[in-house]
């Protein structure tokens, strides 16, 4: 029973990450395979602060969430950004 | 430069989407007419009833929108942009022109007179610019022109609130210009001098006469003089100009 629930969560999570990746690909104009949990925005995805703001605005729209400016301070990787969005779903 | 000179074959079909705040009269109305004559699609805002805002002469309904929008109200700003976007798509050219005066000497100026002018002229411009930029970032192009005043630099007596708000626009424009430059969005300022508008007329004939006497070109400006400068800053020809303050004052404020 627990295993089935875990499986369901995993599927949801994957779908959410796919949506996250779509946003990142569109806004940052990077190939989809570069958008991994470990990818660092500045170094790996060549994203400046304006890119990040743009990405956050796209994510807010796509996921129907609101992200406060202060929550973005320590975000350096795609994984951290994804976790932040996921925590609001 | 007239509107006809700028009408370019490379303009996208239907023209650019232009939003002019304070578009019912004076410099704003002249801007609406200039951009409409240039082939752009123009949304003009007014604090009063939108129905009272007529399209400029000869401009078809398809290329003109009158919107009610008090720039001191964030919800009305949002609604105005949403209406433009629903009909034409994102705003590509923003002319932040809406402004008021509440002139009085500082020693007699109550905080409401200070606050109201800052709220409309400076914070209102911030509100519309912020909303416009959010979409321009995705477009990777855009033009923002703030309408300041020679009063920001000469500091006419009785206009501490107005001068502060208009000088504030210059600092805001320069900071914003740097923030969005990587997206090919330019942000500039025009600083009109004595221009034949209701706002200038309110200074009184004697004061206006005195000011015109100080204008090297020897006359008051027309709203069209200012609109032409704004039209230029919003054009492709001004692609390499950002963070600039362009005086349109017949030489009144030169060197300041």
């Amino acid at each position: 029973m627990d295993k089935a629930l875990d499986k369901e969560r995993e599927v949801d999570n994957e779908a959410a990450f796919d949506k996250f990746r779509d946003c990142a690909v569109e806004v940052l104009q990077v190939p989809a395979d570069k958008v991994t949990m470990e990818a660092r925005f500045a170094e790996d995805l060549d994203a400046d602060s304006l890119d990040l703001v743009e990405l956050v605005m796209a994510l807010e729209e796509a996921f129907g969430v609101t992200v406060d400016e202060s929550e973005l301070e320590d975000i350096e990787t795609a994984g951290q950004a994804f976790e932040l969005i996921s925590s609001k779903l | 430069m007239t509107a006809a000179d700028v009408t370019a074959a490379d303009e996208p079909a239907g023209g650019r989407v232009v939003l002019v705040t304070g578009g019912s009269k004076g410099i704003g109305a002249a801007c609406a007419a200039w951009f409409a004559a240039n082939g752009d699609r123009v949304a003009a805002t007014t604090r009063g009833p939108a129905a009272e805002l007529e399209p400029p002469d000869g401009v078809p309904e398809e290329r003109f929108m009158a919107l009610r929008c008090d720039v001191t109200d964030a919800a009305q700003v949002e609604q105005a942009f949403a209406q433009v976007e629903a009909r034409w798509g994102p705003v590509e050219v923003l002319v932040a022109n809406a402004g008021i005066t509440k002139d009085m000497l500082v020693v007699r100026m109550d905080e409401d007179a200070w606050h109201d002018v800052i709220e409309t002229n400076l914070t209102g411009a911030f509100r519309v610019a912020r909303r416009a930029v959010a979409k321009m970032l995705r477009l990777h192009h855009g033009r923002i022109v703030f309408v300041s005043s020679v009063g920001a630099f000469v500091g006419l007596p009785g206009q501490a609130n107005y001068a502060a708000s208009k000088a504030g626009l210059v600092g805001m424009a320069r900071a914003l210009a740097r923030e969005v430059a990587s997206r090919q969005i330019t942000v500039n300022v025009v600083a009109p001098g004595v221009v034949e508008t209701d706002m200038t007329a309110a200074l009184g004939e004697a004061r206006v006469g005195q000011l015109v006497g100080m204008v090297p070109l020897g006359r008051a400006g027309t709203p069209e003089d200012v609109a032409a400068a704004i039209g230029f800053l919003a054009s492709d020809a001004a692609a390499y100009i950002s963070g600039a303050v362009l005086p349109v004052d017949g030489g009144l404020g030169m060197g300041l």
Side-chain angles (χ1 to χ4, degrees), chain B residues 87-233:
Chain B
R87 185 171 174 197
W88 292 331
V91 170
E92 299 167 271
V93 177
L94 170 68
V95 181
N97 166 73
I100 59 169
T101 53
K102 290 200 173 179
D103 292 2
M104 58 194 86
L105 298 176
V106 165
V107 71
R108 298 286 295 165
M109 188 181 285
D110 55 57
E111 295 211 2
D112 283 347
W114 171 268
H115 178 265
D116 289 354
V117 169
I118 299 288
E119 180 62 21
T120 300
N121 298 7
L122 183 57
T123 313
F126 160 72
R127 273 187 202 103
V128 292
R130 178 180 57 183
R131 184 57 180 75
V133 160
K135 298 289 179 185
M136 286 178 182
L137 288 178
R138 305 297 293 274
L139 291 176
H140 284 240
H141 71 267
R143 292 279 188 272
I144 296 175
V145 182
F146 292 110
V147 180
S148 177
S149 168
V150 71
F153 309 106
V154 300
L156 292 181
Q159 294 201 324
N161 48 2
Y162 184 78
S165 70
K166 293 300 187 179
L169 291 174
V170 176
M172 176 165 69
R174 288 173 175 165
L176 180 58
R178 287 188 197 276
E179 287 184 14
V180 299
S182 66
R183 299 298 190 277
Q184 305 305 313
I185 301 165
T186 68
V187 184
N188 291 291
V189 178
V190 292
V194 186
V195 180
E196 290 163 353
T197 61
D198 291 352
M199 189 184 277
T200 299
L203 293 172
E205 222 170 282
R207 189 88 180 97
V208 174
Q210 199 182 12
L211 288 168
V212 171
M214 292 160 63
V215 176
L217 283 174
R219 65 170 176 89
T222 63
E224 290 71 28
D225 287 328
V226 183
I230 292 170
F232 165 68
L233 288 172

Side-chain angles (χ1 to χ4, degrees), chain B residues 76-92:
Chain B
Q76 288 189 35
V77 169
E78 172 55 37
Q79 207 192 355
F81 274 85
Q83 281 176 270
V84 175
E85 286 159 6
R87 185 171 174 197
W88 292 331
V91 170
E92 299 167 271

